[in-house]
Amino acid sequence: MASAALALAAALALVLLPAPGAAADGKPAVTLSKEQAGQGGEITVTGSGWRPKALLMLLMCGQSSPGRGVIGGTNSCANADGRAVTTDAKGRFSKRLPVAEPPKPCPCVVHVATVTGEPAAVDAPFKVAGHPVTPLPSQAGAARLSVLAAARLEGDDGILVWFGAPATRKLVVTVGNLGSAPVKDPVFQVGTSHGVFAPTWEEQQWKGTIPPGQKARVEVTVQLTSGAHGDYLVSMKYGEKVLVAQPWGVGRPWGVTLFWILLCLVVPAAVFRIGMSVVDRVRPRGGAAGAGRHRTVRLLPKTTAKLPKAPTAATTATALPWFTPDSAPSENHPTTKGHS
């Protein structure tokens, strides 16, 4: 009876234990249709408990474990064979993922993480058949950094950014040392991502020491490429732990558009002016027609000057009378013409 009771309890425990990556208290969870497959195969990844209508990225990653995450970031994953999926209104999804050999040796996981919005990630263990397996690197020291306050981006865009210059910000983070060893001159990895693309990490060293139990204000520089615009996600991690994921909305460089519009208006006008100047210079100015035309214009004043003037009213009035006023005929003084 005792042995039967123990066997029944063990069976119930196996049934009630959550599967790898299963949800607990409404947290994001991932389950795999297979625990092992070779390259060229395919598995079905099912998830629940995620944020509704969230965009997720599914990757096959090496040198990883659910407890330590993806060591080396997405550089340890087969990014070319990754898949994107959007959760439904209840935060669930189901997506087929091809089995590919990651660039790093196993232990391997299927890494599921949000692309935009509040960061969340789940790693489900998976074995890629035929892929090399090596132990995970040992953890460094007992130092442990954690974010104590909300991160923020400081800085403004200058007039040059409006014309396509790279946008730059300062990522300000308050971190605390929760470990038992001091952290001296920590090296952070800063990356920016746009859309579904994975971030490109760049190492930046912060000068200073954070004793155990103390906090510090860390500032790192974030710079985008020329002409970049849209919604970006700025991430910062220490070791293999992502500390910050801060959204950044970058405006469109309208100055570049204005420049091209002005260029399309100015260049044709300048070409037209140059063409008209060339035509005016090469046009022939000699010839009989041209000379005659100019001669007529020059002779017109002389010809006009030689024409007889029309008599005016005053001249006509003076020339008309045939006699003086004293000899004009009247009733008292009839003319004597013909009585001589």
Side-chain angles (χ1 to χ4, degrees):
M1 292 294 293
S3 59
L6 289 175
L8 180 59
L12 289 175
L14 290 175
V15 171
L16 296 176
L17 281 176
D25 299 332
K27 294 182 179 180
V30 170
T31 56
L32 308 178
S33 60
K34 300 178 183 179
E35 296 182 355
Q36 177 180 344
Q39 184 177 4
E42 193 176 59
I43 61 174
T44 300
V45 183
T46 305
S48 60
W50 296 85
R51 191 172 63 253
K53 302 300 182 181
L55 180 62
L56 309 179
M57 176 62 72
L58 284 62
L59 296 171
M60 188 75 63
C61 303
Q63 197 174 351
S64 311
S65 68
R68 296 183 57 181
V70 180
I71 300 175
T74 54
N75 293 331
S76 302
C77 305
N79 297 307
D81 297 290
R83 294 292 184 268
V85 64
T86 302
T87 60
D88 59 15
K90 296 183 179 181
R92 298 176 300 188
F93 73 90
S94 180
K95 185 72 174 179
R96 292 183 178 274
L97 178 67
V99 178
E101 293 188 355
K104 297 292 184 179
C106 286
C108 299
V109 299
V110 173
H111 180 71
V112 182
T114 55
V115 177
T116 58
E118 184 180 354
V122 174
D123 297 320
F126 183 78
K127 183 177 180 180
V128 180
H131 195 58
V133 179
T134 59
L136 295 176
S138 58
Q139 292 181 326
R144 196 157 50 94
L145 295 182
S146 181
V147 178
L148 302 181
R152 63 184 183 274
L153 291 170
E154 294 184 352
D156 297 319
D157 293 333
I159 187 64
L160 295 180
V161 177
W162 204 63
F163 287 93
T168 305
R169 290 289 188 274
K170 288 283 187 181
L171 180 63
V172 180
V173 184
T174 301
V175 298
N177 186 0
L178 305 182
S180 58
V183 179
K184 183 178 181 181
D185 299 337
V187 177
F188 297 96
Q189 296 186 45
V190 182
T192 56
S193 59
H194 182 58
V196 299
F197 297 99
T200 302
W201 300 102
E202 177 185 357
E203 292 186 351
Q204 295 191 33
Q205 186 175 26
W206 182 77
K207 296 292 184 179
T209 302
I210 307 176
Q214 300 296 321
K215 63 180 181 180
R217 186 174 185 265
V218 177
E219 295 183 3
V220 294
T221 303
V222 183
Q223 185 175 15
L224 301 179
T225 57
S226 300
H229 61 277
D231 295 328
Y232 284 81
L233 186 67
V234 180
S235 304
M236 185 181 77
K237 65 180 182 179
Y238 177 69
E240 304 304 326
K241 180 182 179 182
V242 178
L243 301 178
V244 171
Q246 180 71 19
W248 181 12
V250 184
R252 183 181 294 273
W254 291 109
V256 178
T257 305
L258 179 62
F259 169 79
W260 284 110
I261 293 175
L262 293 177
L263 189 65
C264 293
L265 296 177
V266 172
V267 170
V271 171
F272 176 77
R273 293 291 300 273
I274 293 173
M276 293 302 298
S277 177
V278 172
V279 170
D280 188 63
R281 285 181 177 274
V282 302
R283 182 177 57 187
R285 296 182 179 276
R293 182 177 64 254
H294 292 292
R295 188 183 301 113
T296 303
V297 174
R298 289 197 300 269
L299 294 178
L300 184 59
K302 295 181 180 179
T303 306
T304 306
K306 293 180 180 180
L307 294 175
K309 295 183 178 179
T312 61
T315 305
T316 305
T318 305
L320 281 178
W322 300 326
F323 36 74
T324 60
D326 296 338
S327 60
S330 63
E331 294 180 359
N332 299 326
H333 297 85
T335 178
T336 57
K337 185 174 181 181
H339 296 277
S340 54

